[in-house]
Amino acid sequence: MKDYYAALGIDSDASLGAIKTAYRKKASEFHPDKNTSPDAPARFREVQEAYDLLSDEQQRRQYDENRQRSLLENPVATAEQIWTTYMHKVLQ
């Protein structure tokens, strides 16, 4: 499961306004016309996907429920994925 909150660099309790602000910042940062890095197009698509899901109230609710269920059903794997995503974000 992808961590869309980490893709946007926000907390899971972020407001819709914070989601929009983070999306604009990240989309600008990774837009292929502005960023010549080879991974910029993939990162831009990831940011777009995260925004599309998190800005839709119903999809966000389902996503949050799935995240909670994953944590309860498989805590070690979920914690490992969260840690990996966090470290990837910190090291960039």
Side-chain angles (χ1 to χ4, degrees):
M1 174 182 265
K2 294 180 181 180
D3 188 347
Y4 291 123
Y5 293 107
L8 293 177
I10 57 175
D11 293 328
S12 60
D13 61 350
S15 67
L16 182 57
I19 292 170
K20 287 180 182 180
T21 301
Y23 165 71
R24 288 184 186 120
K25 179 181 174 189
K26 291 288 186 177
S28 177
E29 178 182 347
F30 294 114
H31 195 282
D33 290 344
K34 295 182 178 182
N35 188 331
T36 59
S37 171
D39 69 334
R43 297 290 305 274
F44 180 77
R45 284 189 298 276
E46 180 183 2
V47 167
Q48 181 66 50
E49 184 179 339
Y51 177 73
D52 288 345
L53 185 134
L54 296 177
S55 65
D56 181 287
E57 185 178 325
Q58 183 178 2
Q59 288 184 16
R60 182 179 181 183
R61 189 176 319 111
Q62 290 174 346
Y63 173 73
D64 287 342
E65 288 172 4
N66 285 337
R67 286 181 72 207
Q68 181 68 23
R69 193 171 19 258
S70 292
L71 185 58
L72 295 175
E73 292 174 358
N74 195 353
V76 174
T78 303
E80 181 179 343
Q81 190 272 332
I82 290 169
W83 178 253
T84 302
T85 302
Y86 172 77
M87 289 306 294
H88 178 72
K89 186 173 123 181
V90 167
L91 294 175
Q92 288 184 355

